[in-house]
Amino acid sequence: MVTKKTRAAAAAVAVAVSVCVSACSADDAESASSEPLEAVAAQDSLAELCPSTLTVQLQWQPQSDMGALFRMLGPGYSVNTDEKSVTGPLVTGGKDTGIDLSLRAGGPAIGFQSVTSQMYVDDSIDLGIVHGDQVIAAAADQPVVGVTPLLKYSPAILMWDPESHPDWTSIADIGRSDATVVVSKEQIFPQWLVQKGLLKSSQLDTGYDGAPARFVGDPQIAQQGFANSEPYTYESDTPAWDKPVSYQLVKDTGFDIYASNLSVRADKLDAMSPCLDKLVPLVQQATADYITAPDETDSTIVDVVAQDTSFTPYTDGEAAFSSALLKEQGLIANEADGSVGTYDAARTQNNLAELGPVLAADGARLPADLTAEQLFTNRFTDPSIGIS
């Protein structure tokens, strides 16, 4: 377990990270820092409003599409390789808010369970990162409320080998073929693509396990991925492939969910409201600050991953590629009103209307009177905060 330390002690650690990564044998490895953090003004403190350690369940291991949260992770953080977590002071503008932030890895670290199920199993989790389609899917049995999206759009893609399929330019082209489309079984967008006539149900193979072996071994297939990851890793970090892939963002077909929503259990919303009133605008600002100047935060993410050998390696190159793509493709961007990290009510209602029948066909029983406002709220957001 992470040993709780005073901020002054954590900030006084003088051992360089690179030395600790190679030499530390304990479960906890700390980032280097040389001086105590300045505290925020009293009126901006999160102490007494939020848990003393705010625990957030991530949907995967640390990576750049969670950049806003890692922007808020102050120096002196400690990596716990048993819990697959990193904990440190929660900062805004480099100043200590008076509480700690603990970020827990998801995916393999939680046995590939969904974030919503983990939030309901483990009561110590305060908030979770949940994609918009999963927020809707969980509404019946594990309801959560998105309070701010870290991403305006999802980076989900379908990708293919341009040498094997030189005539493909879109997902619709895949659907006009008989090619196998390899996806993971928990994904909702493939069935939506089938319903829209962009793919055939007979094409879907839900055996995707995240490894490149199948794509490398059979370049005739199409495969799911994320625009901020696989196009880089297949070309730069996969020697058996070592060349570009082609892809289309799923959001460009109309599957335009908000991704990576910071979410709270519906039954905890009222109790967490005093915290969220102050926290959510800080997350919005961290989103704007991260995408404007991502380098330092990307280095933090790379360092955190490097301190846990069970994580898939995450390089400086992939982190830089990812943050640049998130900006260039508008996956982190302002809304039409100039705000960032807020919800367009018409869009979330349309997401619910589009996904409801898909989920029902797969056996989900959504509440008959469910509205998007119950699932995605601007109650805590500040519309004056945007990317400048």
mmCIF file of all heavy atoms in Angstrom, residues 107-125:
data_model
loop_
_atom_site.group_PDB
_atom_site.id
_atom_site.type_symbol
_atom_site.label_atom_id
_atom_site.label_comp_id
_atom_site.label_asym_id
_atom_site.label_seq_id
_atom_site.Cartn_x
_atom_site.Cartn_y
_atom_site.Cartn_z
ATOM 1 N N GLY A 107 -8.385 -1.442 -17.382
ATOM 2 C CA GLY A 107 -8.038 -2.461 -18.366
ATOM 3 C C GLY A 107 -7.486 -3.705 -17.700
ATOM 4 O O GLY A 107 -8.122 -4.297 -16.822
ATOM 5 N N PRO A 108 -6.273 -4.140 -18.070
ATOM 6 C CA PRO A 108 -5.692 -5.350 -17.474
ATOM 7 C C PRO A 108 -5.554 -5.252 -15.957
ATOM 8 O O PRO A 108 -5.633 -6.273 -15.264
ATOM 9 C CB PRO A 108 -4.314 -5.437 -18.136
ATOM 10 C CG PRO A 108 -4.425 -4.641 -19.384
ATOM 11 C CD PRO A 108 -5.413 -3.553 -19.110
ATOM 12 N N ALA A 109 -5.353 -4.039 -15.447
ATOM 13 C CA ALA A 109 -5.137 -3.867 -14.008
ATOM 14 C C ALA A 109 -6.364 -4.227 -13.182
ATOM 15 O O ALA A 109 -6.258 -4.521 -11.989
ATOM 16 C CB ALA A 109 -4.719 -2.423 -13.712
ATOM 17 N N ILE A 110 -7.552 -4.191 -13.800
ATOM 18 C CA ILE A 110 -8.779 -4.555 -13.091
ATOM 19 C C ILE A 110 -9.473 -5.733 -13.782
ATOM 20 O O ILE A 110 -10.683 -5.875 -13.730
ATOM 21 C CB ILE A 110 -9.736 -3.353 -12.951
ATOM 22 C CG1 ILE A 110 -10.073 -2.725 -14.316
ATOM 23 C CG2 ILE A 110 -9.157 -2.309 -12.017
ATOM 24 C CD1 ILE A 110 -11.142 -1.637 -14.257
ATOM 25 N N GLY A 111 -8.658 -6.571 -14.436
ATOM 26 C CA GLY A 111 -9.206 -7.763 -15.074
ATOM 27 C C GLY A 111 -10.153 -7.455 -16.215
ATOM 28 O O GLY A 111 -11.060 -8.242 -16.511
ATOM 29 N N PHE A 112 -9.942 -6.314 -16.881
ATOM 30 C CA PHE A 112 -10.756 -5.869 -18.014
ATOM 31 C C PHE A 112 -12.219 -5.652 -17.642
ATOM 32 O O PHE A 112 -13.100 -5.671 -18.505
ATOM 33 C CB PHE A 112 -10.638 -6.844 -19.199
ATOM 34 C CG PHE A 112 -9.244 -6.944 -19.749
ATOM 35 C CD1 PHE A 112 -8.399 -7.979 -19.367
ATOM 36 C CD2 PHE A 112 -8.770 -5.993 -20.635
ATOM 37 C CE1 PHE A 112 -7.107 -8.075 -19.856
ATOM 38 C CE2 PHE A 112 -7.472 -6.078 -21.138
ATOM 39 C CZ PHE A 112 -6.645 -7.116 -20.750
ATOM 40 N N GLN A 113 -12.480 -5.456 -16.348
ATOM 41 C CA GLN A 113 -13.831 -5.089 -15.941
ATOM 42 C C GLN A 113 -14.120 -3.661 -16.390
ATOM 43 O O GLN A 113 -13.215 -2.843 -16.561
ATOM 44 C CB GLN A 113 -13.968 -5.185 -14.419
ATOM 45 C CG GLN A 113 -13.822 -6.581 -13.870
ATOM 46 C CD GLN A 113 -14.898 -7.521 -14.388
ATOM 47 O OE1 GLN A 113 -16.087 -7.221 -14.308
ATOM 48 N NE2 GLN A 113 -14.483 -8.656 -14.915
ATOM 49 N N SER A 114 -15.389 -3.332 -16.557
ATOM 50 C CA SER A 114 -15.741 -1.964 -16.922
ATOM 51 C C SER A 114 -15.487 -1.035 -15.749
ATOM 52 O O SER A 114 -15.491 -1.456 -14.581
ATOM 53 C CB SER A 114 -17.212 -1.881 -17.336
ATOM 54 O OG SER A 114 -18.058 -2.074 -16.213
ATOM 55 N N VAL A 115 -15.262 0.227 -16.059
ATOM 56 C CA VAL A 115 -15.043 1.216 -15.002
ATOM 57 C C VAL A 115 -16.281 1.331 -14.124
ATOM 58 O O VAL A 115 -16.184 1.427 -12.895
ATOM 59 C CB VAL A 115 -14.663 2.580 -15.602
ATOM 60 C CG1 VAL A 115 -14.623 3.661 -14.522
ATOM 61 C CG2 VAL A 115 -13.302 2.490 -16.295
ATOM 62 N N THR A 116 -17.466 1.312 -14.723
ATOM 63 C CA THR A 116 -18.682 1.450 -13.924
ATOM 64 C C THR A 116 -18.848 0.288 -12.951
ATOM 65 O O THR A 116 -19.222 0.492 -11.795
ATOM 66 C CB THR A 116 -19.928 1.567 -14.817
ATOM 67 O OG1 THR A 116 -19.987 0.437 -15.710
ATOM 68 C CG2 THR A 116 -19.892 2.848 -15.637
ATOM 69 N N SER A 117 -18.550 -0.933 -13.395
ATOM 70 C CA SER A 117 -18.672 -2.065 -12.475
ATOM 71 C C SER A 117 -17.658 -1.942 -11.355
ATOM 72 O O SER A 117 -17.965 -2.257 -10.196
ATOM 73 C CB SER A 117 -18.504 -3.387 -13.218
ATOM 74 O OG SER A 117 -17.205 -3.516 -13.765
ATOM 75 N N GLN A 118 -16.449 -1.477 -11.668
ATOM 76 C CA GLN A 118 -15.434 -1.306 -10.640
ATOM 77 C C GLN A 118 -15.856 -0.242 -9.630
ATOM 78 O O GLN A 118 -15.623 -0.383 -8.428
ATOM 79 C CB GLN A 118 -14.095 -0.919 -11.291
ATOM 80 C CG GLN A 118 -12.890 -1.074 -10.389
ATOM 81 C CD GLN A 118 -12.514 -2.526 -10.142
ATOM 82 O OE1 GLN A 118 -13.076 -3.445 -10.739
ATOM 83 N NE2 GLN A 118 -11.559 -2.737 -9.250
ATOM 84 N N MET A 119 -16.511 0.807 -10.098
ATOM 85 C CA MET A 119 -16.981 1.863 -9.203
ATOM 86 C C MET A 119 -18.037 1.350 -8.230
ATOM 87 O O MET A 119 -18.131 1.812 -7.088
ATOM 88 C CB MET A 119 -17.543 3.028 -10.020
ATOM 89 C CG MET A 119 -16.485 3.802 -10.794
ATOM 90 S SD MET A 119 -17.203 4.975 -11.983
ATOM 91 C CE MET A 119 -17.841 6.248 -10.879
ATOM 92 N N TYR A 120 -18.836 0.382 -8.679
ATOM 93 C CA TYR A 120 -19.875 -0.164 -7.815
ATOM 94 C C TYR A 120 -19.365 -1.284 -6.919
ATOM 95 O O TYR A 120 -19.947 -1.553 -5.872
ATOM 96 C CB TYR A 120 -21.068 -0.631 -8.660
ATOM 97 C CG TYR A 120 -22.052 0.490 -8.918
ATOM 98 C CD1 TYR A 120 -21.847 1.382 -9.966
ATOM 99 C CD2 TYR A 120 -23.152 0.681 -8.097
ATOM 100 C CE1 TYR A 120 -22.725 2.436 -10.196
ATOM 101 C CE2 TYR A 120 -24.039 1.732 -8.315
ATOM 102 C CZ TYR A 120 -23.816 2.604 -9.365
ATOM 103 O OH TYR A 120 -24.685 3.658 -9.567
ATOM 104 N N VAL A 121 -18.275 -1.921 -7.300
ATOM 105 C CA VAL A 121 -17.682 -2.965 -6.467
ATOM 106 C C VAL A 121 -16.806 -2.366 -5.371
ATOM 107 O O VAL A 121 -16.796 -2.837 -4.232
ATOM 108 C CB VAL A 121 -16.852 -3.936 -7.341
ATOM 109 C CG1 VAL A 121 -15.970 -4.824 -6.476
ATOM 110 C CG2 VAL A 121 -17.760 -4.792 -8.204
ATOM 111 N N ASP A 122 -16.065 -1.305 -5.713
ATOM 112 C CA ASP A 122 -15.089 -0.711 -4.802
ATOM 113 C C ASP A 122 -15.560 0.674 -4.368
ATOM 114 O O ASP A 122 -15.452 1.646 -5.115
ATOM 115 C CB ASP A 122 -13.725 -0.627 -5.488
ATOM 116 C CG ASP A 122 -12.622 -0.154 -4.556
ATOM 117 O OD1 ASP A 122 -12.933 0.344 -3.460
ATOM 118 O OD2 ASP A 122 -11.444 -0.265 -4.945
ATOM 119 N N ASP A 123 -16.071 0.755 -3.167
ATOM 120 C CA ASP A 123 -16.657 2.008 -2.684
ATOM 121 C C ASP A 123 -15.616 3.091 -2.420
ATOM 122 O O ASP A 123 -15.975 4.249 -2.223
ATOM 123 C CB ASP A 123 -17.458 1.736 -1.409
ATOM 124 C CG ASP A 123 -18.468 2.833 -1.116
ATOM 125 O OD1 ASP A 123 -19.284 3.135 -2.013
ATOM 126 O OD2 ASP A 123 -18.433 3.401 -0.005
ATOM 127 N N SER A 124 -14.342 2.732 -2.424
ATOM 128 C CA SER A 124 -13.306 3.743 -2.197
ATOM 129 C C SER A 124 -13.045 4.599 -3.434
ATOM 130 O O SER A 124 -12.361 5.623 -3.353
ATOM 131 C CB SER A 124 -11.998 3.075 -1.759
ATOM 132 O OG SER A 124 -11.403 2.360 -2.826
ATOM 133 N N ILE A 125 -13.580 4.200 -4.576
ATOM 134 C CA ILE A 125 -13.422 4.967 -5.815
ATOM 135 C C ILE A 125 -14.412 6.127 -5.799
ATOM 136 O O ILE A 125 -15.619 5.924 -5.650
ATOM 137 C CB ILE A 125 -13.644 4.076 -7.043
ATOM 138 C CG1 ILE A 125 -12.599 2.970 -7.100
ATOM 139 C CG2 ILE A 125 -13.609 4.902 -8.330
ATOM 140 C CD1 ILE A 125 -12.873 1.914 -8.150
#
